Amino acid sequence: MEATLNETGWRGSQEGWLEAAYEALLESGVDSVKILPLAKKLNLSRTSFYWFFKDREELLAALLSRWREKNTGSILRQSEAYAETLAEAMLNVFDCWLDSSLFDSKFEFAVRSWALQSNDILGEVRKADAVRMEALSRMFMRFGHPENTADVRARTTYLVQIGYISMQVEEDVAVRMRRIADYIAIYTGEVPQQRELDRFYARHGYRPAPEV
């Protein structure tokens, strides 16, 4: 009777299974994203998985789709957001690095680690890198930079951030915020206006310490 109830009772949801897979990927890598351990974690039957996914590969594909939509999608959207100056446009992109609801750095690290085990995933990561850098390059060209200069500045901006993620750099938010203006100046060649910085700080709930 108990076995029957376990097999025919609550099956969870597709999003629930996907969230459990996401958490497993972040905690222990792709090898931990397996149906039986996820079922145990969710306190569901193994067979309930198949109401939502054909097999493990379809679940992994859904994880990858979630990563593309969130991380690559956010960089594209932020690079295209309205801005009066290039410095302000870059601050829009920097929102990704400080707001996990836009860009999930832990997810990014996990997918890049997964790519070390799979040529197919490595190919997906490389495609994402190319799309993201192209978006940043278009942003620079929108503000008058020639194509080659835009490409180099886009690569500099992006590859530094990927370095932060790959090295798992832990940096106090206040310390990073104090560096923002200089990062913007280096990446864009423009010093951000104080009102642009103030809007950026406000978006992230940061209040600079008063100057003594």
Side-chain angles (χ1 to χ4, degrees):
M1 182 65 174
E2 288 181 4
T4 303
L5 287 172
N6 190 38
E7 291 298 320
T8 60
W10 184 62
R11 299 184 181 97
S13 66
Q14 186 176 62
E15 184 58 30
W17 282 97
L18 185 59
E19 185 65 22
Y22 161 80
E23 290 172 1
L25 179 69
L26 267 57
E27 290 169 7
S28 306
V30 69
D31 289 340
S32 69
V33 184
K34 295 179 178 177
I35 299 167
L36 185 56
L38 295 178
K40 289 181 177 178
K41 183 176 182 179
L42 291 168
N43 197 28
L44 296 170
S45 68
R46 185 178 187 276
T47 54
S48 66
F49 170 85
Y50 296 100
W51 282 84
F52 307 106
F53 298 97
K54 181 176 67 176
D55 51 26
R56 179 175 181 263
E57 291 307 310
E58 188 170 74
L59 175 63
L60 293 178
L63 268 179
L64 202 62
S65 178
R66 185 187 213 186
W67 166 74
R68 281 194 298 262
E69 168 57 26
K70 182 165 190 177
N71 285 7
T72 300
S74 288
I75 291 176
L76 267 59
R77 288 186 289 271
Q78 291 301 109
S79 70
E80 295 167 356
Y82 174 77
E84 293 182 359
T85 67
L86 177 55
E88 185 177 28
M90 184 59 76
L91 286 167
N92 288 338
V93 172
F94 267 49
D95 285 340
C96 291
W97 317 144
L98 292 161
D99 184 348
S100 61
S101 72
L102 290 176
F103 186 95
D104 189 334
S105 294
K106 291 181 179 179
F107 201 3
E108 187 74 16
F109 181 83
V111 171
R112 288 179 180 276
S113 297
W114 180 7
L116 298 175
Q117 301 173 240
S118 166
N119 286 333
D120 288 342
I121 301 305
L122 179 59
E124 291 290 339
V125 168
R126 286 176 173 168
K127 281 194 288 186
D129 287 337
V131 167
R132 295 169 186 182
M133 284 189 282
E134 175 61 26
L136 293 173
S137 183
R138 288 196 304 270
M139 182 186 77
F140 281 105
M141 287 190 285
R142 197 167 84 231
F143 287 92
H145 282 276
E147 184 175 354
N148 189 63
T149 302
D151 175 66
V152 172
R153 287 186 181 275
R155 288 175 177 275
T156 302
T157 301
Y158 180 70
L159 294 175
V160 167
Q161 183 58 34
I162 294 302
Y164 261 90
I165 294 167
S166 298
M167 293 172 66
Q168 295 185 287
V169 174
E170 293 186 6
E171 188 175 59
D172 183 79
V173 172
V175 171
R176 194 164 200 191
M177 284 294 192
R178 288 197 295 270
R179 293 172 175 163
I180 292 294
D182 288 324
Y183 273 129
I184 299 300
I186 289 169
Y187 293 158
T188 67
E190 295 182 8
V191 176
Q193 299 174 43
Q194 189 58 50
R195 60 186 176 84
E196 294 171 337
L197 287 171
D198 288 343
R199 286 197 294 267
F200 178 79
Y201 294 151
R203 290 200 295 272
H204 299 285
Y206 172 70
R207 292 185 178 182
E211 295 184 6
V212 179

